[in-house]
């Protein structure tokens, strides 16, 4: 998605060879017009997938997911990150380990909001090692829901998450796929559709 790539090039800050800071439009301050364009793009790509719900993870997945849900006319559920490992009967939960942060989070959703009748689009702001997406897939399996696919705003294609999830046969749509972050520069994957 060209507008997103231009935004990344103009406002993104390469913090290291593996971390891109996008605090001015996605992770802290949010650009609503860009989020709306992102929502329209995902709605377009998944138009024929029969999506009934969108599942994301707090906090930075919420903005693009809500704009997608608005365009598609479906509700958006965000999984909560809980500090406690205590399970209750009324939750679907999964353990998500972050290699970036070196910590584990339990993510949970209420059983009330996703059922076996649902076809779900999973969304997130970043795809790195894929642990958050794998946790959300796990939750959908517990709910016996269908997975339409995964929508990612920024994929770090040099990390293993995208390959791992696509290799399991899931559809992953990415709006900006980064090949490398060397010398303070962002380089996008060449095969990425614009
Ligand atoms: P994974 O789910 O793909 O395995 O990702 P990982 O554990 O590496 O990521 C942990 C957190 O860091 C996630 O945010 C993820 O979105 C974010 N993240 C990963 N790589 C980058 C990056 O290069 N730049 C930025 N800006 N964020 C990155 P989170 O902890 O869930 O926080 P939130 O922002 O959603 O609240
Ligand atoms: Na996130
Ligand atoms: Na994030």
């Amino acid at each position: 998605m060209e507008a997103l790539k231009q935004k990344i090039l103009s406002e993104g800050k390469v913090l290291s060879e593996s971390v891109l800071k996008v605090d001015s439009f996605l992770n802290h301050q949010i650009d609503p017009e860009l989020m709306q364009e992102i929502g329209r793009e995902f709605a377009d790509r998944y138009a024929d997938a029969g999506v009934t719900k969108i599942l994301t993870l707090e906090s930075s997945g919420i903005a693009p997911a809500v704009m997608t849900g608005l365009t598609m006319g479906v509700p958006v559920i965000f999984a909560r990150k809980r500090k406690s490992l205590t399970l209750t009967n009324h939750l679907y939960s999964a353990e998500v380990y972050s290699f970036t942060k070196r910590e584990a989070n339990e993510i949970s959703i209420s059983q009330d909001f996703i059922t076996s009748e649902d076809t779900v689009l999973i969304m997130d702001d970043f795809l790195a090692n894929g642990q958050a997406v794998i946790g959300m897939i796990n939750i959908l399996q517990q709910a016996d829901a269908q997975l339409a696919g995964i929508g990612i705003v920024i994929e770090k294609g040099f990390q293993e998450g995208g390959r791992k999830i696509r290799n399991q046969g899931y559809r992953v749509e990415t709006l900006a796929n980064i090949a490398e972050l060397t010398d303070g520069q962002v380089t996008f994957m060449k095969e990425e559709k614009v």
Side-chain angles (χ1 to χ4, degrees):
M1 186 182 145
E2 196 53 38
L4 173 64
K5 289 182 182 178
Q6 288 308 320
K7 193 78 163 176
I8 291 169
L9 292 175
S10 61
E11 296 187 18
K13 295 192 169 51
V14 176
L15 293 193
S16 71
E17 303 235 317
S18 64
V19 179
L20 174 69
K21 184 169 177 170
V22 288
D23 273 18
S24 72
F25 60 93
L26 182 59
N27 287 148
H28 191 30
Q29 176 171 262
I30 293 170
D31 180 335
E33 282 188 16
L34 181 64
M35 290 308 126
Q36 189 171 45
E37 276 191 68
I38 285 169
R40 288 177 176 148
E41 181 68 26
F42 282 126
D44 190 50
R45 293 192 189 195
Y46 281 102
D48 300 323
V51 174
T52 63
K53 297 259 169 100
I54 295 171
L55 175 62
T56 188
L57 180 56
E58 65 176 349
S59 57
S60 298
I62 296 175
V66 166
M67 297 315 292
T68 306
L70 180 65
T71 310
M72 297 185 100
V74 300
V76 177
I77 299 122
F78 62 95
R80 293 181 176 272
K81 294 169 185 164
R82 288 149 35 89
K83 292 216 174 75
S84 165
L85 291 178
T86 311
L87 295 171
T88 82
N89 284 333
H90 208 57
L91 298 174
Y92 297 121
S93 299
E95 179 95 348
V96 172
Y97 180 75
S98 168
F99 292 100
T100 309
K101 295 183 165 177
R102 293 198 184 85
E103 65 179 26
N105 273 298
E106 188 183 44
I107 65 167
S108 305
I109 67 164
S110 164
Q111 294 181 2
D112 291 342
F113 300 122
I114 293 183
T115 73
S116 59
E117 308 285 289
D118 283 312
T119 298
V120 179
L121 171 60
I122 288 177
M123 288 185 59
D124 211 353
D125 58 336
F126 270 89
L127 177 59
N129 295 297
Q131 296 306 303
V133 168
I134 289 166
M136 287 189 275
I137 292 172
N138 183 320
I139 279 176
L140 293 185
Q141 288 168 342
Q142 294 173 47
D144 206 18
Q146 303 297 308
L147 175 59
I150 294 121
I152 298 294
V153 180
I154 303 175
E155 177 173 351
K156 294 193 290 183
F158 56 89
Q159 293 186 262
E160 66 176 2
R163 183 182 45 78
K164 204 157 54 182
I165 293 161
R166 289 182 181 96
N167 281 349
Q168 289 178 34
Y170 299 115
R171 177 180 177 191
V172 182
E173 294 287 339
T174 294
L175 303 189
N177 196 346
I178 295 174
E180 52 180 331
L181 295 171
T182 43
D183 302 325
Q185 300 275 84
V186 180
T187 308
F188 295 106
M189 294 280 192
K190 288 203 174 61
E191 66 272 20
E192 173 72 16
K193 277 188 277 174
V194 294

